[in-house]
Amino acid sequence: MLKRSIGIGMLCLAGHAYSAEITVTITDDITKDDSECSLREAIEYVNKGMPEAGYMGCGGKNAMAAILLDKQKTYTLNSKVDVKASLTLKTYYDTTVTEEAIAGLNNAVIKMAGKDQIFNIDHDPNDMALINITEINFEGCDKSICADKGGIIYNNERLELKYVKLLGGHARLGGAIYNVGQASEQQGYASHVSIANSILENNTAVTGAVLYGERPSFSFASVVIKNNNTTSGAANIFSEKAIADVKLLNDKNINKLSNSTFLNNSGYIINIRDGIAVNNVTIVGNKAGVQFDSKEGYGYLANSIVVGNGSGANCQFNVDDKTLVQNNLVGTECKSGDAKYPNEFWIGSKLFAGNSSEGSCKSLMEDPDALLCPYSVPKDTFLGYIRPRILLSAKNMFDTWILNKGRLDLSLDSTQLMCETMDQRNKNRTTDNSWCDRGAIEIIVPTSKSRIGQDLKVGEVAKINILQYLGDSDLYPKEKCESLLQMKNPAGGEWQDGCIVIDQTITKSKGNVILDIDGNLVYTPNGNWHGADIFNLQVVTSSTRFNENKKYMVLEAYMVQEPNNDFEDKSVKTSGGALGWFGLFAVFGLVGLRRFKK
């Protein structure tokens, strides 16, 4: 079988060919003493202590335990690889090319071609290895059972995953990951799994389709978990037993699940035992919700959304449960929780404003009642999310199920569990947690002006969708503008969606603007002029309408029209037009909706 080599010219140009990192040069699963280095050979080289002589074409003098895979390449394995030493495994790509440097979008893929798990991580029982994996996609064997324990990874060390995907793992216990999570008689430590900014999808197990742990020993932050299937109906994140000795717990956050989204999973999401903290998560549209089994009161659920998960299955309580439950939006079958920070019961019937739980979101006029927008992945991002909606029925920013529901009590006898400081997208929540939002997403409204624009040739029209510039808000419908603003359209005629007002700032008006409820803006020049039309586009949104003094959000618009160029321009273009001259699409900062929360 011939080896399929990977070009490493970019590595050489960047200096990596002369660094101490180990570059995997072939995608096939081969062990052969030659000049090529496979993934299996690279890991085995680290397992052997990285001898100066190298191993099977990998490593050499001054080598580091850091293994590089080429972006968007697929590396196949025919059987599992044993990992017995600390190492770093990551995707290499040129981070100076900004449009390609978005974490998670360039991941290399490790695919199991046989019927086995991918990594068996188990080291010397007298020592703990650290396995750090960044920007790698794992594709399991996608057969009925890849392995008995851990369909993709079996872990008995310290495993850290960032910007990874775990897909298609199948096992009896731990469809994606099996984590031992407790020390044996020889071990003085418990293995641990930390996952951040990652996706776990389409994994299956009898118990623990996402993670099975003998005891709780994990941290999940900013993780999307969807379409996993725990066939027994037990939890997708399952801990067989609680922490061995709760007296050793000095922080209830020892094993934490935060700022994460769960959708379309079969089985309960998590069983909360002593030593497990769940905070600011969104659990919606699953077959079941949360199981509570904290016998000593060292588990908690707070500031989260748990609704629409099966019929009467949002919450299931063990008879001896003492979980601390505070300030959640839950189904009516759940308990009211802590008396000082009680839960709120959702009494609505429409969960998603869309044709399914994933996809586009309907406008506030098409669907005035649904609690959430469907799950969607914005352009040039790795993680998708479920956006809460600010309904037209809300009388103010506090008259909602999700927004501004944070609590803050600094009294000495307070047992308050505050919101996370960041949301799933790493957007800041309120600095004092006094009015943060329930769930994984904090509603954000930009307070600085965004810029929109387009270069046009004579005879063309500009078409731009402005929803991306509105943060987490919707356009206010035209049917309600007159009632809200207490005035007719000053431009004459009927109001348009967003109650738009055009404010000419530098130039006279040179065209017409049409905007619909879905954010589609069409700008039509009113002649064959040459130059720019510069104006402020003022729109009212579902959030800004609550501001008494300024209901409008402002977008700066630059529309540039020039004659058709019939001559070939062989010069290098360095600037020009709406994009070059004005830098219209610079990154703008989004800040929390604080001025509306006073």
Side-chain angles (χ1 to χ4, degrees):
M1 180 179 179
L2 298 177
K3 294 184 177 181
R4 181 159 58 95
S5 297
I6 299 174
I8 56 172
M10 288 298 295
L11 291 176
C12 295
L13 290 174
H16 284 275
Y18 304 100
S19 75
E21 295 166 315
I22 304 164
T23 302
V24 175
T25 59
I26 57 174
T27 60
D28 296 322
D29 186 13
I30 293 177
T31 301
K32 183 179 180 181
D33 193 2
D34 58 9
S35 61
E36 300 282 15
C37 179
S38 69
L39 175 60
R40 184 181 298 275
E41 291 169 334
I43 293 176
E44 185 58 24
Y45 169 70
V46 177
N47 289 342
K48 291 180 176 294
M50 299 186 296
E52 287 191 3
Y55 173 78
M56 301 292 184
C58 301
K61 188 176 181 179
N62 299 322
M64 297 168 55
I67 299 172
L68 301 181
L69 304 183
D70 201 5
K71 70 173 185 178
Q72 299 177 4
K73 297 288 185 180
T74 298
Y75 299 78
T76 58
L77 295 173
N78 298 318
S79 60
K80 68 184 178 186
V81 175
D82 293 326
V83 181
K84 299 180 179 180
S86 296
L87 60 82
T88 295
L89 179 64
K90 60 184 179 180
T91 293
Y92 169 79
Y93 54 92
D94 185 2
T95 57
T96 63
V97 183
T98 56
E99 64 269 22
E100 296 181 358
I102 300 172
L105 297 187
N106 294 283
N107 292 9
V109 177
I110 301 176
K111 181 178 178 61
M112 174 50 63
K115 188 177 181 181
D116 207 342
Q117 63 196 186
I118 293 178
F119 284 165
N120 174 43
I121 303 174
D122 201 356
H123 180 44
D124 184 342
N126 297 314
D127 190 16
M128 177 183 283
L130 172 60
I131 315 301
N132 191 307
I133 301 176
T134 304
E135 294 188 77
I136 303 288
N137 292 353
F138 291 87
E139 296 183 4
C141 76
D142 206 23
K143 298 182 173 61
S144 58
I145 293 289
C146 302
D148 183 61
K149 296 180 178 181
I152 295 177
I153 296 173
Y154 176 93
N155 179 61
N156 197 22
E157 306 298 328
R158 183 179 173 188
L159 174 62
E160 296 185 356
L161 305 174
K162 296 179 181 178
Y163 295 99
V164 305
K165 284 185 179 180
L166 297 173
L167 312 170
H170 302 273
R172 182 177 66 88
L173 304 176
I177 301 174
Y178 184 100
N179 183 52
V180 176
Q182 64 178 340
S184 65
E185 293 182 1
Q186 296 82 22
Q187 288 173 261
Y189 65 90
S191 59
H192 186 81
V193 174
S194 174
I195 307 178
N197 300 107
S198 298
I199 300 172
L200 292 93
E201 186 172 6
N202 294 328
N203 300 289
T204 301
V206 176
T207 306
V210 172
L211 173 70
Y212 185 102
E214 295 177 17
R215 294 189 188 273
S217 187
F218 62 83
S219 172
F220 283 46
S222 297
V223 179
V224 171
I225 296 176
K226 64 190 188 79
N227 301 318
N228 300 283
N229 182 18
T230 296
T231 59
S232 66
N236 283 273
I237 300 174
F238 182 85
S239 300
E240 182 180 347
K241 300 177 181 178
I243 296 294
D245 187 356
V246 296
K247 295 179 182 179
L248 299 177
L249 292 173
N250 55 13
D251 187 347
K252 291 183 180 180
N253 297 347
I254 186 169
N255 302 291
K256 193 171 188 180
L257 170 61
S258 63
N259 285 332
S260 297
T261 296
F262 299 82
L263 177 69
N264 292 336
N265 298 287
S266 297
Y268 281 88
I269 297 305
I270 186 171
N271 64 329
I272 299 179
R273 295 190 184 274
D274 288 312
I276 295 178
V278 181
N279 196 29
N280 278 120
V281 301
T282 298
I283 299 174
V284 295
N286 303 280
K287 292 293 180 64
V290 178
Q291 292 177 313
F292 297 88
D293 191 14
S294 173
K295 293 181 174 59
E296 302 295 329
Y298 283 87
Y300 77 75
L301 171 72
N303 306 309
S304 297
I305 304 170
V306 185
V307 298
N309 300 290
S311 178
N314 287 294
C315 300
Q316 183 184 79
F317 295 90
N318 183 286
V319 65
D320 299 322
D321 175 67
K322 297 179 182 178
T323 303
L324 182 59
V325 181
Q326 293 186 355
N327 193 37
N328 305 287
L329 179 64
V330 295
T332 55
E333 72 275 27
C334 301
K335 296 179 180 179
S336 59
D338 182 75
K340 198 169 185 179
Y341 309 102
N343 292 332
E344 191 171 6
F345 297 112
W346 183 57
I347 57 175
S349 58
K350 186 69 181 297
L351 191 60
F352 292 111
N355 296 324
S356 67
S357 59
E358 298 188 47
S360 60
C361 189
K362 291 184 177 180
S363 72
L364 291 172
M365 288 302 292
E366 289 181 287
D367 190 330
D369 301 318
L371 182 68
L372 307 163
C373 281
Y375 176 88
S376 64
V377 183
K379 182 182 178 182
D380 295 332
T381 60
F382 182 51
L383 297 183
Y385 60 93
I386 295 172
R387 175 171 70 86
R389 302 171 81 220
I390 306 172
L391 301 180
L392 296 175
S393 58
K395 297 179 177 62
N396 54 60
M397 290 298 290
F398 297 91
D399 184 30
T400 69
W401 294 106
I402 295 170
L403 276 66
N404 301 312
K405 296 301 182 180
R407 297 291 184 267
L408 183 65
D409 184 352
L410 300 179
S411 62
L412 294 177
D413 62 346
S414 173
T415 56
Q416 180 201 5
L417 306 170
M418 295 188 296
C419 289
E420 300 297 309
T421 57
M422 311 281 281
D423 78 349
Q424 180 187 301
R425 304 167 299 180
N426 294 320
K427 304 294 185 183
N428 288 322
R429 295 182 186 268
T430 53
T431 54
D432 61 3
N433 286 298
S434 57
W435 301 117
C436 56
D437 301 338
R438 289 172 175 148
I441 300 301
E442 183 82 4
I443 296 295
I444 302 296
V445 173
T447 55
S448 59
K449 289 182 182 180
S450 300
R451 294 185 175 94
I452 62 173
Q454 192 166 323
D455 291 340
L456 303 172
K457 299 295 184 181
V458 171
E460 295 180 339
V461 298
K463 294 182 179 181
I464 303 169
N465 190 286
I466 69 168
L467 290 187
Q468 62 181 307
Y469 305 105
L470 306 183
D472 298 316
S473 303
D474 296 286
L475 283 171
Y476 200 70
K478 59 187 178 184
E479 293 87 350
K480 296 182 176 293
C481 290
E482 185 172 333
S483 174
L484 176 72
L485 301 174
Q486 296 295 300
M487 57 184 279
K488 301 275 187 185
N489 186 352
E494 299 296 326
W495 283 104
Q496 292 192 55
D497 288 307
C499 313
I500 66 168
V501 171
I502 304 298
D503 177 23
Q504 294 295 147
T505 55
I506 298 177
T507 67
K508 293 182 178 180
S509 176
K510 300 178 181 180
N512 298 313
V513 174
I514 297 177
L515 181 66
D516 67 22
I517 194 68
D518 296 315
N520 298 307
L521 181 147
V522 178
Y523 173 84
T524 304
N526 59 12
N528 296 339
W529 48 267
H530 180 204
D533 189 355
I534 304 171
F535 56 91
N536 281 341
L537 178 71
Q538 301 180 4
V539 296
V540 178
T541 71
S542 56
S543 58
T544 62
R545 79 182 197 265
F546 295 121
N547 190 336
E548 293 183 4
N549 299 320
K550 187 180 179 182
K551 298 184 183 298
Y552 281 95
M553 179 184 296
V554 180
L555 307 178
E556 293 180 330
Y558 295 81
M559 302 299 177
V560 176
Q561 183 175 243
E562 60 183 22
N564 294 320
N565 187 356
D566 296 328
F567 297 94
E568 181 180 1
D569 185 358
K570 297 184 179 180
S571 63
V572 177
K573 185 176 181 180
T574 59
S575 65
L579 303 184
W581 291 340
F582 301 104
L584 299 181
F585 293 101
V587 176
F588 60 88
L590 294 179
V591 298
L593 182 55
R594 301 306 152 234
R595 58 177 175 169
F596 305 114
K597 296 190 173 186
K598 295 181 180 179

